[in-house]
Amino acid sequence: MSRRTARKNAFFLLFQMDFNLDEEYEQVKEIFFAEQEEPVDEDDRDFILDEVEGTRSNLEAIDELIGSVAKGWDTERMSKVDLAILRLAVYELKFGGETPVGVCINEAVELAKKFSSDEAPAFINGILGKVAAINTEE
């Protein structure tokens, strides 16, 4: 599985987690992997879980950062799809450190094009551009 596909799966799992309680994480995670059309090898599973768990463990800081650059937008008002995409990308930009900035932003925009509204790609690109700029200043 490519990193792009693994990242898409991490987005799917993060999106699902937004509708479940923290206590249900283990169950949701196991169902998610059991329902995959093709088996997920150990490296891909590890990558997906690292992305999801890293995002979840830094969620407060991630949401605060998104809120600080999204002028006029509160994370509570954002669509759950857009928010899951943003959270994953901000995790990679701010805490992940392995994915190049351009790749991170491009893949988030591509997810938005495929799974969100027509306005979402530009919105997500703008937010992530501002996050990346903050990331560079530090």
Side-chain angles (χ1 to χ4, degrees):
M1 165 182 308
S2 69
R3 280 289 181 232
R4 176 175 280 200
T5 301
R7 194 170 282 106
K8 179 178 76 173
N9 282 315
F11 154 68
F12 287 158
L13 186 53
L14 269 175
F15 178 75
Q16 286 181 10
M17 291 310 304
D18 216 17
F19 295 96
N20 294 280
L21 301 172
D22 286 341
E23 300 83 45
E24 299 169 331
Y25 175 65
E26 290 300 321
Q27 182 180 5
V28 170
K29 177 176 71 172
E30 292 310 314
I31 291 169
F32 176 81
F33 285 109
E35 291 178 344
Q36 295 299 304
E37 291 179 15
E38 297 179 25
V40 178
D41 71 31
E42 189 174 339
D43 287 341
D44 292 330
R45 182 183 172 100
D46 289 346
F47 175 80
I48 292 165
L49 292 177
D50 285 349
E51 295 283 290
V52 170
E53 291 169 5
T55 301
R56 292 180 76 231
S57 66
N58 293 287
L59 199 56
E60 189 175 318
I62 290 168
D63 283 356
E64 186 176 304
L65 185 54
I66 292 169
S68 75
V69 298
K71 302 296 181 209
W73 281 90
D74 185 307
T75 55
E76 297 293 318
R77 289 184 46 224
M78 293 178 190
S79 83
K80 293 202 181 286
V81 170
D82 294 352
L83 190 55
I85 293 168
L86 283 168
R87 285 173 169 167
L88 179 60
V90 170
Y91 166 73
E92 287 188 324
L93 286 171
K94 194 72 173 157
F95 303 99
E98 294 179 18
T99 307
V101 171
V103 171
C104 182
I105 293 173
N106 182 58
E107 292 203 5
V109 169
E110 290 302 315
L111 285 171
K113 286 178 182 176
K114 189 166 186 175
F115 298 107
S116 194
S117 68
D118 290 342
E119 299 81 22
F123 176 71
I124 286 172
N125 187 55
I127 298 284
L128 295 178
K130 290 176 185 176
V131 170
I134 290 170
N135 212 22
T136 310
E137 294 169 5
E138 293 178 351

Coordinates of all heavy atoms in Angstrom, one line a residue, residues 13 22 43 50 55-56 61 67 74 83 98 116 123 132:
L13 N -10.1 6.5 9.4 CA -10.2 6.0 10.8 C -10.4 7.2 11.8 O -11.2 7.2 12.7 CB -8.9 5.2 11.2 CG -8.9 4.6 12.6 CD1 -10.2 3.7 12.9 CD2 -7.7 3.7 12.8
D22 N -14.0 7.8 23.2 CA -12.6 7.4 23.3 C -12.5 5.9 23.8 O -11.6 5.2 23.3 CB -11.9 8.3 24.3 CG -11.5 9.6 23.7 OD1 -11.6 9.8 22.5 OD2 -11.3 10.5 24.5
D43 N 3.5 -3.1 8.4 CA 4.1 -1.8 8.2 C 3.1 -0.7 8.0 O 3.1 0.4 8.5 CB 5.2 -1.7 7.1 CG 6.4 -2.5 7.5 OD1 6.7 -2.7 8.7 OD2 7.2 -2.8 6.6
D50 N 0.1 5.0 13.9 CA 0.9 6.0 14.4 C 0.3 7.4 14.0 O 0.3 8.3 14.8 CB 2.3 6.0 13.7 CG 3.2 4.8 14.4 OD1 2.8 4.3 15.4 OD2 4.2 4.5 13.8
T55 N -2.2 11.9 16.2 CA -3.2 13.0 16.0 C -4.1 13.1 17.3 O -4.3 14.1 17.8 CB -4.1 12.8 14.8 OG1 -3.2 12.7 13.6 CG2 -5.1 13.9 14.6
R56 N -4.6 11.9 17.7 CA -5.4 11.9 18.9 C -4.7 12.4 20.1 O -5.3 13.1 20.9 CB -6.0 10.5 19.1 CG -7.0 10.1 18.0 CD -7.5 8.7 18.1 NE -8.5 8.7 19.2 CZ -8.6 7.9 20.2 NH1 -7.7 7.0 20.4 NH2 -9.5 8.0 21.1
A61 N -3.8 20.5 21.1 CA -2.8 21.5 20.5 C -3.1 21.6 19.0 O -3.0 22.8 18.5 CB -1.4 21.0 20.7
G67 N -7.6 26.5 15.0 CA -8.5 27.6 15.4 C -7.7 29.0 15.3 O -8.3 30.0 15.0
D74 N -14.5 28.4 13.8 CA -14.2 27.6 15.0 C -14.2 26.1 14.6 O -15.0 25.8 13.7 CB -15.4 27.9 16.0 CG -15.1 27.2 17.4 OD1 -14.9 25.9 17.4 OD2 -15.2 27.8 18.4
L83 N -12.4 18.7 9.1 CA -11.6 18.7 10.3 C -10.7 17.5 10.4 O -9.6 17.6 10.9 CB -12.6 18.8 11.5 CG -12.0 19.1 12.9 CD1 -11.2 20.3 12.9 CD2 -13.1 19.2 13.9
E98 N 8.2 13.7 9.5 CA 8.8 12.9 8.4 C 8.3 13.2 7.0 O 9.0 13.0 6.1 CB 8.5 11.4 8.7 CG 9.1 10.9 10.0 CD 8.8 9.4 10.2 OE1 8.3 8.7 9.3 OE2 9.0 9.0 11.4
S116 N -14.8 15.9 0.1 CA -15.5 17.1 0.7 C -16.1 18.0 -0.3 O -16.2 17.6 -1.5 CB -14.5 17.9 1.6 OG -15.2 18.8 2.4
F123 N -9.9 26.0 1.1 CA -10.0 26.3 2.6 C -8.8 25.5 3.3 O -8.1 26.1 4.0 CB -11.3 25.8 3.1 CG -11.5 26.0 4.6 CD1 -11.6 27.2 5.2 CD2 -11.6 24.8 5.4 CE1 -11.7 27.3 6.6 CE2 -11.7 24.9 6.8 CZ -11.8 26.2 7.3
A132 N 2.0 25.8 8.1 CA 3.3 25.6 7.6 C 4.2 26.8 7.9 O 5.4 26.6 8.2 CB 3.3 25.1 6.2

